[in-house]
Amino acid sequence: MNFYNSAVRWAVPVFVMISGALFLKNDSPISIKTIYHKNIFRIARAFVFWSSVYAILRFSKKIFVSKQSLSLTTLAGYFVNGHYHLWFLFMIVGIYMILPFMKEISRSGFLTKYFLALAFVFAILIPQSKSIAIMFIHGHDKGIGSFYEKVSVNFVMGFPIYFLLGYVLSKAEISKKMERIIYAAGLVGFVATFLLTHVISNFKHNASEIFYDTQTVNVFLESVCVFVFFRQHMNFKAKNSNWLILLSQYSFGAYLVHDLVIQMLRFIGLNTVSFAPALSIPVISVIVFVISFAFSGILNNIPVVKKYVL
């Protein structure tokens, strides 16, 4: 499980990098009205519907299966906070909100480098050092947390570094030598994610996911490696990319519905520990992928649903 998880930690960062490469590539200014009407409002609609679905299912399961006594306030809390995988919607809306700033920064070579440098320090190096410090300096969590809060620069925190970096890497001229260095660094990042998670988990006698975080040096190196590889070697031709366009159209719906598929499989007794994880994880991943995209394809071909739910 650790091996598979370590191998795909780049997924969300690379998605954000692709978004940055596409949103920032044009020199024309971005209309705030368009951002809110076309991008943010669409995500808000999807969140309202799907968060309601997942909240009702979770609420019903606790009442009828677990026999817990819950109030409507609990249901409202489930809805407002969203199902676990819907965190991505909150994050991407935040990116869209600061898109005009990112656009202006991307136009200046100096500001781009300055932003990326600040972000690497404050969004990756410092948070990772905080997590490691808390792990080894027991009993001082509050003090350590308080110190790191004082040295934070909120504007560069989180995923904007990947958003801007995707744009930079999509335009950069990368030599063969630099490409090899990036791939080597990516391999180091993957190995570090895998081995450090293994070592720390054994040290703590409990599963630790601090090196799975997207705001870590190891995952950062993995993400850059994967993005550069696809940019350099997987340049699909438009005439042969109908399948890729179709997957792209259905991907948002598949993301929204995929945990329903996982829950369905669990209900019939199929999960990652049903048999050897070395096989169960890829097998279940394929099943979830196929069913989710098939279901999304159906939803995308219902005009009203496509307009208001996806």
Side-chain angles (χ1 to χ4, degrees):
M1 288 181 176
N2 181 28
F3 175 85
Y4 285 126
N5 214 332
S6 299
V8 297
R9 299 314 301 169
W10 52 266
V12 174
V14 166
F15 184 91
V16 176
M17 292 167 78
I18 293 170
S19 298
L22 296 175
F23 271 101
L24 300 175
K25 69 177 180 178
N26 296 320
D27 291 332
S28 57
I30 298 176
S31 166
I32 293 179
K33 180 179 178 181
T34 300
I35 293 171
Y36 276 83
H37 179 73
K38 181 180 178 181
N39 302 109
I40 294 178
F41 186 56
R42 176 197 177 193
I43 292 176
R45 286 200 310 260
F47 175 82
V48 169
F49 178 82
W50 290 99
S51 188
S52 298
V53 169
Y54 284 106
I56 292 171
L57 286 176
R58 184 180 178 187
F59 187 77
S60 302
K61 182 178 178 181
K62 287 185 177 292
I63 289 179
F64 298 111
V65 179
S66 303
K67 304 300 182 182
Q68 297 182 23
S69 179
L70 302 175
S71 66
L72 291 179
T73 303
T74 303
L75 176 61
Y78 291 160
F79 166 75
V80 171
N81 289 297
H83 199 53
Y84 77 92
H85 73 301
L86 298 181
W87 72 269
F88 178 83
L89 300 184
F90 290 93
M91 180 273 290
I92 203 66
V93 163
I95 293 286
Y96 290 153
M97 285 179 174
I98 65 170
L99 190 50
F101 299 107
M102 302 303 291
K103 187 73 172 179
E104 291 302 315
I105 291 171
S106 69
R107 288 176 173 174
S108 166
F110 170 75
L111 289 180
T112 296
K113 293 175 183 177
Y114 183 58
F115 184 94
L116 290 175
L118 284 178
F120 187 73
V121 171
F122 288 98
I124 293 182
L125 287 181
I126 290 179
Q128 186 166 25
S129 66
K130 171 187 172 183
S131 299
I132 295 173
I134 289 175
M135 179 177 298
F136 289 102
I137 306 175
H138 302 289
H140 297 281
D141 297 16
K142 290 184 178 180
I144 294 172
S146 177
F147 169 76
Y148 279 98
E149 285 178 6
K150 290 182 176 66
V151 295
S152 64
V153 179
N154 290 331
F155 184 65
V156 300
M157 301 294 280
F159 282 89
I161 184 175
Y162 289 114
F163 193 77
L164 185 58
L165 185 62
Y167 166 72
V168 171
L169 291 175
S170 70
K171 293 182 60 181
E173 294 184 9
I174 302 174
S175 66
K176 287 294 183 181
K177 180 179 179 181
M178 179 56 65
E179 191 177 350
R180 288 193 291 269
I181 292 173
I182 290 172
Y183 296 155
L187 180 61
V188 170
F190 160 67
V191 173
T193 305
F194 174 72
L195 291 180
L196 290 173
T197 299
H198 175 76
V199 171
I200 294 298
S201 296
N202 277 286
F203 175 78
K204 293 181 64 179
H205 303 292
N206 192 22
S208 172
E209 297 185 353
I210 68 166
F211 290 103
Y212 285 167
D213 197 295
T214 54
Q215 311 300 311
T216 56
V217 176
N218 42 290
V219 173
F220 177 85
L221 294 176
E222 283 188 62
S223 304
V224 171
C225 171
V226 172
F227 185 91
V228 169
F229 175 79
F230 272 82
R231 185 218 141 164
Q232 298 290 94
H233 301 287
M234 304 294 283
N235 189 14
F236 297 97
K237 302 298 181 182
K239 64 180 181 180
N240 299 322
S241 299
N242 290 335
W243 63 274
L244 193 62
I245 294 170
L246 200 63
L247 288 178
S248 177
Q249 292 173 346
Y250 295 166
S251 62
F252 188 52
Y255 150 74
L256 292 168
V257 78
H258 84 277
D259 194 65
L260 286 178
V261 179
I262 293 174
Q263 291 186 44
M264 177 190 72
L265 294 178
R266 287 175 180 166
F267 181 75
I268 64 175
L270 183 60
N271 56 54
T272 52
V273 292
S274 296
F275 50 100
L279 291 175
S280 70
I281 291 175
V283 167
I284 291 175
S285 296
V286 170
I287 293 173
V288 171
F289 179 91
V290 171
I291 296 177
S292 298
F293 271 88
F295 193 59
S296 178
I298 294 171
L299 295 179
N300 271 276
N301 283 282
I302 304 174
V304 176
V305 173
K306 181 180 180 180
K307 183 177 181 179
Y308 294 105
V309 174
L310 301 177

